[in-house]
Amino acid sequence: MNNKKFTVEVLSNFANTSVEREELWDTAIGGFYVIRLKTAISYRLKYRNTEGRQRTFTLGKYPGLTLNQAQREAKRIIGRITSGEDVQEAKQGIKTEAANRHFQTLGAYIEDIYIAYQKRKKSGEQTISTIKKHFPAWLPLPMGSISPKDVRRWQAEKETKGLHHETIKRTFGALKTCLNHAVKTGTIEAHQLTGCQLDKPHLTEDELGASGTGRRFMSDKETILFFNGIEAYQEEKRRQRRNTLAHGKPSLPDLDSLEFADHVKPWIMTMYYTGLRPGDLFGLRWDQVNLDFRTIRKTIEKTAHHQPEPRTFPISHPLISILKSWKKQNGNPATGYVFPSARTGGRMDKTSMQKPWRKIKDLSGLPSDMDLYTLRHNFASLLILLGADLLTVSKLMGHTDIQTTIKHYGHLKPDLARDYVDLFASKNTPEVLAADNDVITKVARN
């Protein structure tokens, strides 16, 4: 063992002449030594804990830590060891605690665990993006420290920026799901947002007046505007393509020779004629569509977790014609998405129809606040107004419970019960019964 009384000159000489892993021990302070590492020289202290195990404690690096500083620190550490403390274990505990604190931050948990979990979900990447986009200031915070007070402040900021309440609610839900997952994996014991709810939005007088009209159907005029808007959208797409071809991109297909400029018309018309939810249209596959038997058979995505069995929906003749043409335009595929992403060929993003729908409304003159979901409500509402019974409409809408149909569309048949009572009474009056009895008696005599 190489021993010397440490001085500034001795350490300087060791720094200039030593080789990697070479050690030099101080004769003045027991267990105090330096070791040459690959890129630096390290001050260290060897000792035995109360169980007799030999431990090594790193004091710092030379020359960042001077000899005088290192010697003082070594003596201080020896004092703690003498009192029975295992300083290396305590140091490791501090490091572990610091690592755990970092790991328990929202940002670290997302990167290390939650991204991998969300990758297994069809919209997982968007969920991660949503959390990072809307909660950047919270990413460095320990998940357990995020409080309802923080949420109220955050909600106020988002409302000030004009973010719609439904978007705020959906975003907050994504955060709570992440925190719940952290509890489930044992990363944190609990979080403060378990029972936290967003404040309800304040409605203006106009909004209060319109609050009951969210589920509506289109008037005859709006339906005409709707069809005109789709054709106007197609024509604008074709005009844009003609302009592109004229300016040096001949490799792109000529849209004037195609029935559909893109997926928008067949997608929207499928929703119009079936009332299917957007998510079910994004996930619709050709092997779920039987054009010969005029049916769509698929599992409803919204309720797939508790009702995985596929359901069968009839297809009207106009939609059959549209889908046949769309399938032919795409090479008559037997499998794959009916409406694949033009960019990836996979499933379209759930927001991909928002921009085309806005364009159709702009071109047609439809109300700017008319949601794409209106097409679904229009389908159900007009079926009922045309005389369809609520049970049939419930099945066509993919509702798991007819009470849902009654709740949202039952008002369209306010006199249905009265009609049935009147029908019963009209068939069971004394006069009708007497007349029927005379007929029966005459038949019996003959």
Side-chain angles (χ1 to χ4, degrees), residues 177-435:
T177 300
C178 177
L179 297 180
N180 289 338
H181 189 265
V183 173
K184 185 177 179 180
T185 58
T187 305
I188 56 176
E189 292 184 4
H191 63 83
Q192 300 183 50
L193 306 187
T194 301
C196 180
Q197 299 291 332
L198 295 176
D199 294 331
K200 292 183 178 180
H202 296 290
L203 300 179
T204 64
E205 289 300 319
D206 290 341
E207 289 171 333
L208 285 169
S211 60
T213 62
R215 295 175 183 266
R216 50 161 293 188
F217 58 90
M218 294 189 292
S219 66
D220 290 344
K221 179 181 178 181
E222 287 174 334
T223 302
I224 293 172
L225 293 176
F226 166 73
F227 284 117
N228 290 342
I230 291 176
E231 296 309 319
Y233 171 89
Q234 290 232 112
E235 181 52 39
E236 179 163 301
K237 281 289 183 179
R238 292 188 175 105
R239 180 184 57 77
Q240 291 172 349
R241 179 58 55 86
R242 288 193 293 269
N243 185 57
T244 301
L245 293 174
H247 289 81
K249 291 188 178 180
S251 60
L252 295 174
D254 178 11
L255 297 184
D256 287 322
S257 62
L258 300 176
E259 182 172 352
F260 303 110
D262 58 15
H263 66 278
V264 171
K265 178 178 179 178
W267 192 99
I268 287 184
M269 294 310 298
T270 302
M271 186 173 184
Y272 176 81
Y273 282 121
T274 65
L276 287 173
R277 297 178 179 90
D280 290 311
L281 288 176
F282 290 134
L284 186 63
R285 306 181 70 89
W286 281 117
D287 53 15
Q288 298 167 335
V289 180
N290 191 319
L291 296 175
D292 294 325
F293 287 92
R294 294 173 47 212
T295 60
I296 290 174
R297 182 169 173 79
K298 79 182 301 289
T299 299
I300 300 301
E301 296 190 5
K302 183 178 180 180
T303 56
H305 58 290
H306 60 80
Q307 195 170 56
E309 300 81 10
R311 302 191 190 188
T312 301
F313 303 90
I315 308 176
S316 63
H317 287 292
L319 182 56
I320 284 290
S321 177
I322 291 171
L323 291 177
K324 282 183 176 179
S325 297
W326 175 243
K327 188 174 187 179
K328 181 179 179 181
Q329 182 171 313
N330 285 274
N332 289 311
T335 59
Y337 289 108
V338 176
F339 305 108
S341 166
R343 183 172 57 86
T344 67
R347 183 182 175 114
M348 286 198 294
D349 185 83
K350 63 183 181 181
T351 63
S352 57
M353 289 301 296
Q354 292 179 359
K355 186 175 180 181
W357 179 242
R358 283 197 299 270
K359 175 58 70 173
I360 288 172
K361 289 189 292 184
D362 290 343
L363 292 170
S364 66
L366 284 169
S368 60
D369 61 349
M370 181 180 285
D371 194 275
L372 185 61
Y373 225 75
T374 299
L375 299 183
R376 175 170 166 81
H377 302 316
N378 183 73
F379 177 75
S381 301
L382 293 186
L383 282 176
I384 291 173
L385 292 174
L386 288 170
D389 62 88
L390 291 173
L391 181 59
T392 298
V393 174
S394 181
K395 291 179 179 179
L396 291 173
M397 293 292 283
H399 291 157
T400 57
D401 188 346
I402 192 174
Q403 292 302 320
T404 303
T405 316
I406 294 172
K407 175 182 176 182
H408 295 305
Y409 304 104
H411 66 282
L412 296 172
K413 282 200 169 182
D415 296 323
L416 185 61
R418 184 180 297 107
D419 291 343
Y420 285 137
V421 170
D422 288 341
L423 179 62
F424 169 82
S426 67
K427 298 295 184 181
N428 290 277
T429 64
E431 294 78 14
V432 171
L433 292 173

Side-chain angles (χ1 to χ4, degrees), residues 96-108:
T96 302
E97 184 179 350
N100 287 339
R101 281 200 304 270
H102 168 72
F103 192 62
Q104 290 175 350
T105 64
L106 178 61

Side-chain angles (χ1 to χ4, degrees), residues 131-156:
I131 295 174
K132 289 182 175 180
K133 176 183 177 181
H134 290 281
F135 302 99
W138 295 4
L139 296 178
L141 300 180
M143 289 181 282
S145 71
I146 301 171
S147 68
K149 184 177 179 180
D150 296 323
V151 173
R152 287 193 292 272
R153 188 182 302 114
W154 171 82
Q155 182 182 359

